[in-house]
Amino acid sequence: MKVHILDDWYDSLRALPSFQALDGHDVTVWTDRAPDSATLAARFKDAEAVVLFRDRSAITPDLAAALNGVKLIAMRGQHAHVDVQALTREGILFCSKMTKDGPSTPTAELTFGLIIAALRYLPDQIASARAGAWQGDAPLGRNVAGKTLGLYGYGGIARVVAGFARAFGMRVQLWASDDSRARAAADGETVPPSRAEFFATSDVVSVHKRLTSDTRNEITRADLMTMMPGSILVNTSRAGLIEEGAILDALNSGRIGRAALDVFAGEPISDPADPLLSHPGVIPTPHVGFITEEELDKQFGDIYALVNAFGSANPVDMINPEVWTTGRN
Ligand SMILES: NC(=O)C1=CN([C@@H]2O[C@H](COP(=O)(O)OP(=O)(O)OC[C@H]3O[C@@H](n4cnc5c(N)ncnc54)[C@H](OP(=O)(O)O)[C@@H]3O)[C@@H](O)[C@H]2O)C=CC1
Ligand SMILES: O=C(O)C(=O)CO
C-alpha cells in the first residue's frame, strides 16, 4: 500500500523494530507540521493509508471529500482535530488507538520529573553551574516530601502520578468532575470540600484532563489566583484546559512560582521569544510526555499492524473496541 505518515515525525522512529512492519509498503514520511487542507489534499492524491502522529493536521469535511484513494486513517491519542463523521461518510475507516491503553506511565514519569524540577529549581541550578557561578544565586530548592500534590482530573495518568507522589512522601488530593470525585472518594482518595479549597491548599497543582468543548478553559484565571503564593502549576494534558493568558498573569503577579508545561496553545512553537516559552518562571518541554523509545515502538507497532491487517483481511474484525476508537470524537 501507499502509506503516508505525517506530523511531528522523529526520524529515529525508522530505527525502531516496529518500523520493519512497514517493509513491503511504499512509505512516504512528511516532516513539516500541520500543513493546510489544500496541501494535504494534493499530497494524498495517491495515498491509500495515512498515519497521523498526533493531533496536528486537521481533517476537515472538505479534506475528507478530497481523499479519493485513501481507505484508512490511523493514529493514536486524542483526535478532536479529525471529523470522523465526514471520513465515515466518505467510506474512509478512521481508527485511533485510545490513550487509556496508551502512554500513562511515560507521561506520568515526565509529570513527576517536572514536579521535582520545579520544586528543586533544576533549570536555575543547571544554568548557574553552566554560567560558572556554581551555586550562585539560584533559589533554594524545596523538599518534595511533605508537599501537597493536587491532581486535577482522576484518569489514567493522574492515578500513576498519585502513586509516584506517595512514594516520594507527598500528600495527594484531587479535584475532578462530580462522578470522578465520587469515585475517588470511594477509592479512599482525599477530596477537598470545594474547588477553591483544592487550589488554595495544593503546593503543586498538576492537570490531567482531556480537552473537549466542555473542558476548554475549565481552569480559570480566578482558580490560579486562588493558588498558594509561590506554588507550582504542572500541565502535561492540553493547554486549552487553562484560560489563555492566565498562567502568565499568575506568574507575573507572583501568585504561582513556577509553571512546568509540556503543552502550549498553538504548539509547535518555533519562536524562542514566545512570551510563555521564554518566561523565566516557565519550565517548558516540547510535548514529549509520551515520547520514549519503548512507548513509541509499542504505539506505532499497533498502528502499523493495523495498516498491514487492512491490506490482508477485513480490518473491522481485528479492531478491538477496548483499544481503538473508530467512529466518534
Ligand atoms: N503530554 C503528553 O505527551 C501526553 C498527554 N496526554 C494528555 O493527558 C491528559 C490525561 O490523559 P489520561 O489520563 O490518559 O486521560 P483519561 O482518558 O484517563 O481521562 C482523564 C480525565 O479526562 C476526563 N475525561 C475522560 N474521558 C472524557 C470524555 N470522553 N469527555 C470529557 N472528559 C473526559 C475525565 O476527567 P474527570 O476525572 O474530571 O471526570 C478523566 O478523568 C489528556 O489530555 C491526554 O491527551 C496523554 C498522553 C501523552
Ligand atoms: O496522547 C496524547 O494525548 C498526547 O498528548 C500525545 O500526542
Side-chain angles (χ1 to χ4, degrees):
M1 287 210 290
K2 289 192 165 54
V3 181
H4 286 237
I5 306 179
L6 73 156
D7 287 330
D8 283 20
W9 173 263
Y10 288 75
D11 231 29
S12 45
L13 288 169
R14 288 178 189 275
L16 296 179
S18 55
F19 197 69
Q20 290 166 14
L22 292 183
D23 284 355
H25 293 294
D26 178 354
V27 178
T28 307
V29 172
W30 300 96
T31 54
D32 56 347
R33 290 173 172 144
D36 59 34
S37 287
T39 308
L40 289 174
R43 191 174 278 185
F44 296 151
K45 251 188 346 292
D46 298 332
E48 293 169 283
V50 172
V51 173
L52 303 180
F53 184 74
R54 59 163 98 195
D55 44 349
R56 291 264 187 270
S57 296
I59 309 287
T60 59
D62 284 352
L63 177 59
L67 298 179
N68 298 327
V70 175
K71 302 180 187 78
L72 170 71
I73 297 187
M75 65 169 294
R76 51 148 305 286
Q78 290 203 25
H79 51 273
H81 64 312
V82 175
D83 192 322
V84 179
Q85 280 167 357
L87 290 176
T88 307
R89 269 198 309 275
E90 300 299 333
I92 299 168
L93 178 65
F94 173 77
C95 295
S96 178
K97 187 163 185 259
M98 287 187 282
T99 319
K100 76 173 179 193
D101 181 51
S104 300
T105 303
T107 307
E109 287 172 354
L110 183 83
T111 304
F112 208 74
L114 290 173
I115 292 171
I116 296 177
L119 281 169
R120 301 298 302 264
Y121 296 108
L122 288 188
D124 308 66
Q125 312 294 2
I126 293 165
S128 182
R130 286 222 166 109
W134 199 233
Q135 291 173 345
D137 284 333
L140 297 177
R142 289 184 280 162
N143 283 358
V144 177
K147 295 289 180 301
T148 297
L149 171 64
L151 295 170
Y152 189 88
Y154 188 51
I157 294 172
R159 287 166 204 240
V160 181
V161 175
F164 294 162
R166 291 196 179 97
F168 272 77
M170 296 183 92
R171 193 177 151 265
V172 177
Q173 62 182 10
L174 69 96
W175 195 258
S177 61
D178 294 352
D179 286 353
S180 280
R181 291 209 306 283
R183 236 186 340 268
D187 290 347
E189 296 290 350
T190 302
V191 180
S194 70
R195 180 183 181 88
E197 190 161 331
F198 167 81
F199 281 101
T201 58
S202 299
D203 297 282
V204 179
V205 169
S206 189
V207 182
H208 301 286
K209 295 264 278 200
R210 288 199 208 175
L211 179 63
T212 66
S213 47
D214 291 339
T215 60
R216 183 168 290 281
N217 295 332
E218 191 174 286
I219 298 180
T220 63
R221 180 173 274 99
D223 288 330
L224 297 192
M225 289 304 178
T226 319
M227 285 174 67
M228 277 187 209
S231 56
I232 283 157
L233 175 72
V234 179
N235 189 3
T236 57
S237 296
R238 285 295 180 273
L241 289 159
I242 304 176
E243 201 178 323
E244 191 149 7
I247 298 178
L248 273 178
D249 291 349
L251 281 166
N252 289 336
S253 68
R255 175 53 70 163
I256 59 175
R258 288 288 181 274
L261 307 172
D262 190 41
V263 286
F264 292 83
E267 63 174 76
I269 302 173
S270 46
D271 176 10
D274 176 86
L276 198 52
L277 203 60
S278 63
H279 193 287
V282 172
I283 302 174
T285 49
H287 202 146
V288 288
F290 75 123
I291 305 281
T292 63
E293 275 180 29
E294 296 87 345
E295 189 60 39
L296 292 186
D297 202 34
K298 178 155 74 75
Q299 299 285 327
F300 279 91
D302 287 349
I303 291 173
Y304 302 152
L306 188 83
V307 170
N308 279 331
F310 192 84
S312 57
N314 178 356
V316 177
D317 288 345
M318 56 83 64
I319 294 172
N320 176 357
E322 291 296 311
V323 175
W324 295 91
T325 301
T326 53
R328 67 191 155 80
N329 273 351

